Amino acid sequence: MSAQTTDEAEAGSEDGRRAAEAAAERKREQRGWYFYDFAVSVYSASVLTVFLGPYLTSVAKAAADAEGYVHPLGIPVRAGSFFAYSVSASVILAVLVMPLAGALADRTGRKKPLLAVAAYTGAAATTGMFFLGGERYLLGGLLLIIANAALSVSMVLYNAYLPQISTPDERDTVSSRGWAFGYTAGSLMLVANLALYLGHDGFGLSEGAAVRICLASAGLWWGAFAVIPLRRLRDRAVVREPGAEPAVSGWKQLVATLKDMRRYPLTLSFLLAYLIYNDGVQTVISQASVYGSEELQLEQSTLIGAVLLVQVLAVGGALAMGRLARTYGAKRTILGSLAAWALTLGAGYFLPARTPVWFFALASMIGLVLGGSQALSRSLFSHLVPAGKEAEYFSAYEMSDRGLSWVGPLVFGLTYQVTGSYRDAIISLVVFFALGFVLLARVPVRRAVAAAGNPVPERI
């Protein structure tokens, strides 16, 4: 064997060894990344969806005056509206902070310390909800605002890792597994919390004490499992442009990000489609319990059971749609899920009242499409983000997910106000999925990926 041939063989062996090491490191980071979904999803499932709204409302009512008003900062607010206003305030804070955090992460390359700050701020605020006894509604509102805003900021930073820890062909699978991990955690914690809540007398607890333990346990879970991604994820070095400022104000950075996105109109086209159909998704999630209780006259235990069913089925749905994406591409799979959403709402319109079995069937349909449509939207967007701007662009994406989903609830509320029917209100949401379907279908995703300067996967 000639010396040249020997050198080439050694070089090839070295390249193969480096590739294998890189793949192993990538898998290690991916496994760590999944666990942030596992850590944080219990907050969404147990705190926001099930326990905090009714409990904080009861605390506010206990502190209300004879006319049913509380007075935060001297402003008269109906006790029944305090939770909703607190959520709105958290959105405003998140909109201000998310672009700032995204820009700082991209320009310094230090996503992990920022993720740690956001995660443990949110976990601490959630754990502090244990102290929401008596008439401490102001403390409850403050902790909700902090926890919700911290969640949004942490998800910007978490999502921004996706393009860095996975190859283009891996992203649909990796994103779907993250969502599956999250729904698994939500299911496990929800089962434990419901057992404590429903059997609180047997544990020697009052109903309020059981709820406060459930709230605090979500914060402890969040903080405990956040350790895993923070140990496994790593920061990447960045090349800073001369004269670049490390951060600017939240609104100023948002404007700068949107101006930059105008250079990538196809990325903006996808973001618009996502904003519309995700508004429909978020509205269904938030209003399904109202539809079940007010229109279908179902018991609270039925509604809680339906939430748990959605969490469990969303695990399988996310994984199954990830597999479909490998065969048919993420875009086609998302389009299929939007059609399924529209059919689900159509079926929901005809559900008979006081029949839990049909509501569980509806929850099953929602669970099967929920996780997959969210996971694949995230992975598809990751292909459309220019390198080095991951956190900045995902801040805009996260605001579409959490900060701008207000049109759907408005349409739902106005439809009910005009017609007096929750059935008409729920069917009105079909327009979000239909319009989102049309807009997404018109996005040439392969050309959009190339325009962003990224390699185009074989199937997308």
Side-chain angles (χ1 to χ4, degrees):
M1 182 181 293
S2 68
Q4 181 178 357
T5 303
T6 301
D7 290 343
E8 290 175 352
E10 290 178 352
S13 176
E14 180 66 17
D15 290 343
R17 184 183 63 80
R18 290 176 179 173
E21 289 177 352
E25 175 62 22
R26 197 167 63 247
K27 294 297 182 185
R28 183 178 185 276
E29 282 196 273
Q30 289 170 7
R31 287 191 290 269
W33 186 81
Y34 300 147
F35 271 95
Y36 193 70
D37 251 324
F38 193 82
V40 78
S41 292
V42 297
Y43 174 84
S44 299
S46 288
V47 176
L48 282 184
T49 305
V50 177
F51 290 111
L52 184 58
Y55 183 72
L56 184 56
T57 299
S58 70
V59 172
K61 287 182 177 179
D65 59 22
E67 296 180 350
Y69 284 86
V70 291
H71 299 270
L73 304 178
I75 303 171
V77 173
R78 284 194 181 274
S81 300
F82 182 73
F83 173 73
Y85 288 144
S86 298
V87 173
S88 297
S90 74
V91 171
I92 294 172
L93 178 60
V95 167
L96 290 172
V97 178
M98 282 191 293
L100 179 64
L104 185 60
D106 283 337
R107 292 178 183 179
T108 64
R110 296 178 59 80
K111 291 185 183 69
K112 191 158 71 170
L114 294 170
L115 176 60
V117 170
Y120 284 103
T121 298
T126 306
T127 304
M129 292 176 185
F130 177 79
F131 300 102
L132 300 185
E135 300 180 356
R136 298 173 181 166
Y137 76 96
L138 280 176
L139 176 63
L142 177 62
L143 293 176
L144 170 59
I145 290 169
I146 294 172
N148 255 12
L151 170 66
S152 296
V153 172
S154 73
M155 291 305 293
V156 168
L157 302 164
Y158 166 70
N159 287 335
Y161 272 104
L162 180 59
Q164 298 180 330
I165 65 171
S166 57
T167 64
D169 291 328
E170 293 175 335
R171 287 183 199 166
D172 292 338
T173 299
V174 172
S175 184
S176 296
R177 285 178 180 170
W179 279 105
F181 265 60
Y183 283 116
T184 298
S187 301
L188 292 173
M189 181 59 80
L190 196 55
V191 168
N193 284 345
L194 290 179
L196 177 64
Y197 174 72
L198 296 176
H200 60 83
D201 288 334
F203 293 102
L205 298 171
S206 66
E207 182 178 341
V211 170
R212 290 187 288 113
I213 291 173
C214 292
L215 295 172
S217 67
L220 294 173
W221 180 290
W222 185 354
F225 285 100
V227 171
I228 299 174
L230 291 173
R231 286 179 63 88
R232 293 200 171 190
L233 294 172
R234 62 182 178 85
D235 286 329
R236 274 76 173 168
V238 296
V239 178
R240 294 184 60 183
E241 298 177 5
E245 296 293 333
V248 293
S249 71
W251 281 106
K252 189 175 181 180
Q253 180 57 52
L254 175 60
V255 171
T257 300
L258 293 176
K259 284 183 177 179
D260 185 71
M261 291 180 77
R262 289 164 55 189
R263 298 164 50 200
Y264 307 97
L266 297 179
T267 299
L268 271 178
S269 296
F270 171 81
L271 197 59
L272 175 62
Y274 173 75
L275 186 153
I276 291 173
Y277 70 72
N278 183 65
D279 202 346
V281 170
Q282 298 303 320
T283 306
V284 172
I285 293 172
S286 65
Q287 301 302 321
S289 60
V290 175
Y291 183 66
S293 61
E294 298 298 326
E295 184 68 35
L296 304 182
Q297 301 174 36
L298 299 173
E299 299 292 334
Q300 183 68 21
S301 59
T302 299
L303 300 177
I304 294 174
V307 171
L308 178 58
L309 182 61
V310 168
Q311 294 288 316
V312 172
L313 291 179
V315 176
L319 295 175
M321 288 181 64
R323 293 191 185 97
L324 288 174
R326 290 201 296 270
T327 302
Y328 301 103
K331 177 183 173 180
R332 289 183 180 179
T333 307
I334 295 170
L335 290 173
S337 76
L338 297 182
W341 272 107
L343 291 173
T344 299
L345 291 180
Y349 178 84
F350 294 102
L351 287 186
R354 295 182 295 276
T355 311
V357 64
W358 288 111
F359 190 72
F360 282 123
L362 182 71
S364 300
M365 296 170 67
I366 291 175
L368 290 173
V369 296
L370 174 62
S373 58
Q374 293 175 316
L376 294 178
S377 296
R378 176 172 65 184
S379 62
L380 181 54
F381 183 70
S382 73
H383 291 284
L384 310 182
V385 177
K389 295 182 178 290
E390 292 86 2
E392 191 175 333
Y393 273 51
F394 266 109
S395 68
Y397 178 88
E398 193 68 17
M399 280 191 294
S400 298
D401 191 7
R402 301 178 186 275
L404 300 178
S405 295
W406 56 271
V407 179
L410 178 62
V411 169
F412 185 93
L414 288 176
T415 303
Y416 176 75
Q417 181 173 328
V418 171
T419 66
S421 169
Y422 281 107
R423 294 185 187 273
D424 292 338
I426 202 74
I427 201 67
S428 71
L429 301 179
V430 169
V431 67
F432 290 90
F433 298 102
L435 183 55
F437 183 100
V438 171
L439 292 176
L440 178 58
R442 292 171 59 88
V443 178
V445 291
R446 300 186 71 85
R447 188 146 51 91
V449 174
N454 296 320
V456 181
E458 182 178 350
R459 292 196 181 279
I460 191 169

